[in-house]
Amino acid sequence: VQLQASGGGLVQPGGSLRLSCATSGFSLDHFAVGWFRQAPGKEREGVSCISSSDGSTYYTDSVKGRFTISRDRAQRTVYLQMNSLKFEDTAVYYCATDFVLPCGSDYLARVNAMDYWGKGTQVTVSS
């Protein structure tokens, strides 16, 4: 099982970025995938996840209305479209999967117990 996040970069406040999570070794039809982030000096937190069964999504409150998670099952890739970026969105973003829980609040809370993690990608929001 492998996950690889990419697409991070430097963006001004109010700008947009799209992160990609390339996956292998498991099926997006069977397991949910989540995005997590860790800001400097802070604990890692769950951002969003997308379910395996119907592609339903879940977001932490701070990104609702600004971030959109999606997937391309043929490309085995999960995306995180980030709009209206704020200074406080600066963090290393990771994608991860858990083979037990469905997507939801418990999934995003499982920060320290996800089964597989990809390497992170840095997102810096700065003027």
Side-chain angles (χ1 to χ4, degrees):
V1 174
Q2 290 188 329
L3 302 97
Q4 180 62 58
S6 62
L10 175 64
V11 63
Q12 292 185 339
S16 299
L17 280 175
R18 189 177 79 156
L19 305 184
S20 299
C21 175
T23 70
S24 63
F26 70 100
S27 173
L28 296 179
D29 291 333
H30 297 149
F31 302 107
V33 172
W35 283 99
F36 299 80
R37 66 186 180 185
Q38 187 165 19
K42 294 188 177 180
E43 295 185 351
R44 192 172 296 187
E45 64 170 346
V47 175
S48 179
C49 58
I50 187 164
S51 71
S52 56
S53 56
D54 59 2
S56 58
T57 59
Y58 186 88
Y59 300 91
T60 193
D61 286 346
S62 62
V63 307
K64 283 181 182 176
R66 301 189 297 123
F67 291 11
T68 303
I69 191 171
S70 62
R71 65 182 181 177
D72 183 328
R73 287 180 288 178
Q75 295 296 321
R76 307 181 72 147
T77 301
V78 175
Y79 302 99
L80 186 68
Q81 177 67 44
M82 306 186 297
N83 298 329
S84 302
L85 282 162
K86 304 176 180 180
F87 292 119
E88 51 264 42
D89 294 318
T90 295
V92 178
Y93 284 71
Y94 303 86
C95 53
T97 189
D98 182 86
F99 287 179
V100 176
L101 291 178
C103 171
S105 59
D106 288 345
Y107 193 93
L108 295 189
R110 196 173 165 83
V111 173
N112 296 316
M114 299 298 285
D115 289 322
Y116 298 95
W117 289 91
K119 292 183 179 179
T121 185
Q122 176 71 47
V123 172
T124 302
V125 183
S126 175
S127 56

